[in-house]
Amino acid sequence: MRHEKAGRLLELARLLASTAEGLTLDEIAERLGVGRRTAERMRDAVREVFPQLEEVEDPPTRRFRIPSGLDGLFQAPTPEELSALALAAESFAAQGASARAAALRSLEQKVLSATRAAARRRLAPDLEALLQAETIAVQAGPRPFEDETVLAAVREALKAASTLSFRYEGGSQPGRVREVSPYGILFGRANYLVASEGEGKPRNWRLDRIGEVAATGRPASRDPGFSLQDYADESFGIYQDDTQDVVLRILPASAEGALRWRFHSNQALEPQADGAVIVRFRASGMRELAWHLFTWGDQVEILAPPVLKQTLIEQIELARRAHATDSAAPAA
């Protein structure tokens, strides 16, 4: 029990050393999953061990931080952490996300180079065992475009709050040079820049259709109330259209799987008396959702909206037509 308490205090110390602005007591309580009084006691205990902990006035509250960071003695990674980092890099590489894979491998090297030699020697056997015993199951799907030059230019514009200029080989006028205000990047089966052109609303621009890209240095005009996470949550996947209230009924035979499945970030699951599960969420992107629901076969019933049901029927009919034939099958 004493070891567990010491571990929790070290976890808090790492949190306070990893933040520039500091954490309030309420934020400490939330991060550690404890009550406010417990957070106060833990803060006081950390102060005894790390007297460099400082208080920052942020009316109407206070923030706490360890500005000088922690000695490497307290920061040695575990085999599980390094294994997770290596697997994440491997997963990105398998998806074709070479830039993010390279970034994680560079981070791994920095962590190891900052770890004391004795700690590295202790880590090596367990880390090797985990790396040999765990791997990524590669799934079929598109390999997202990830060009380091394009990503670097987009990130430069985002950090500088600058507009971004590029030649776009998509849309109704392929090859036209655009100047947009970037909001962020959506990583997924395909990667997209989220940006607004002129006074228009934010929209998606495929990164693999962007060329001759550069940050202009001119101030970007962005809606201060825009949330990239909220924007991403509005759609099922990438496609954006009218937001709909979706209601699905998963049959009892597949209910257990549905309870462990995430259809959408704002979903609500309602187990039914007959063993079925009702799934509710708000989203746009009905065609992409229809593609996904097809994988559930006859185990899902679309209760709402009608446009989703019609879209699924249309997609099934298109597939049927593409594979239908009037000629007899060839003889064996």
Side-chain angles (χ1 to χ4, degrees):
M1 183 62 71
R2 287 194 298 271
H3 290 298
E4 181 181 342
K5 290 182 178 179
R8 294 287 279 169
L9 291 179
L10 183 54
E11 180 183 359
L12 174 56
R14 287 170 175 157
L15 283 174
L16 297 176
S18 65
T19 173
E21 65 275 9
L23 298 175
T24 67
L25 280 174
D26 288 336
E27 290 171 341
I28 291 172
E30 181 182 359
R31 296 282 189 91
L32 298 179
V34 299
R36 183 182 171 88
R37 285 293 300 149
T38 299
E40 290 177 344
R41 290 193 293 269
M42 294 179 69
R43 176 208 57 193
D44 294 341
V46 167
R47 182 185 281 121
E48 293 180 6
V49 181
F50 300 96
Q52 65 269 41
L53 184 147
E54 66 179 29
E55 298 183 11
V56 180
E57 294 294 335
D58 185 19
T61 184
R62 292 179 181 177
R63 293 183 172 275
F64 304 90
R65 65 187 180 189
I66 301 178
S68 57
L70 300 183
D71 185 271
L73 175 66
F74 302 102
Q75 299 286 52
T78 66
E80 291 77 13
E81 290 169 340
L82 288 174
S83 174
L85 186 57
L87 283 174
E90 180 185 334
S91 176
F92 278 141
Q95 296 170 20
S98 56
R100 284 177 288 165
L104 288 184
R105 286 170 178 153
S106 175
L107 175 60
E108 180 184 21
Q109 292 172 0
K110 291 177 181 178
V111 170
L112 287 172
S113 66
T115 303
R116 297 183 180 185
R120 288 200 303 271
R121 287 194 294 271
R122 289 194 301 270
L123 285 169
D126 289 342
L127 178 59
E128 182 66 22
L130 289 176
L131 291 177
Q132 291 181 0
E134 300 175 355
T135 190
I136 299 295
V138 178
Q139 298 182 350
R143 292 174 63 85
F145 171 87
E146 198 158 299
D147 182 276
E148 291 190 39
T149 302
V150 173
L151 285 177
V154 171
R155 286 167 171 160
E156 179 185 353
L158 287 168
K159 290 185 289 186
S162 160
T163 61
L164 188 71
S165 172
F166 54 82
R167 185 177 299 279
Y168 194 61
E169 300 298 339
S172 59
Q173 296 176 294
R176 177 184 166 189
V177 175
R178 314 275 188 155
E179 184 171 340
V180 302
S181 295
Y183 283 87
I185 304 171
L186 293 179
F187 291 111
R189 293 187 301 170
N191 297 334
Y192 291 80
L193 165 69
V194 179
S196 61
E197 189 174 22
E199 299 299 321
K201 294 182 178 180
R203 51 173 286 205
N204 297 339
W205 309 77
R206 280 180 51 166
L207 290 184
D208 61 342
R209 296 178 178 175
I210 289 176
E212 302 176 23
V213 59
T216 67
R218 290 185 283 274
S221 176
R222 298 190 294 206
D223 178 1
F226 178 85
S227 165
L228 184 63
Q229 187 61 61
D230 290 345
Y231 177 84
D233 288 346
E234 285 180 358
S235 67
F236 184 90
I238 291 296
Y239 296 113
Q240 296 270 349
D241 50 31
D242 293 338
T243 302
Q244 306 281 350
D245 288 309
V246 178
V247 184
L248 309 173
R249 180 177 182 271
I250 309 300
L251 272 58
S254 296
E256 184 177 352
L259 290 171
R260 296 195 303 267
W261 197 266
R262 189 175 76 162
F263 292 88
H264 198 268
S265 59
N266 64 22
Q267 71 184 26
L269 301 177
E270 303 171 5
Q272 303 296 295
D274 64 354
V277 174
I278 298 294
V279 184
R280 302 177 188 272
F281 56 89
R282 283 181 58 80
S284 60
M286 292 300 100
R287 184 172 62 172
E288 201 167 356
L289 177 53
W291 293 341
H292 172 71
L293 293 180
F294 180 78
T295 66
W296 285 78
D298 62 354
Q299 294 301 298
V300 62
E301 178 185 358
I302 298 172
L303 303 183
V307 65
L308 175 57
K309 182 181 294 187
Q310 184 59 37
T311 301
L312 178 58
I313 292 171
E314 290 173 354
Q315 295 299 307
I316 292 173
E317 180 60 21
L318 286 172
R320 189 196 66 78
R321 291 176 185 173
H323 293 84
T325 177
D326 294 329
S327 60

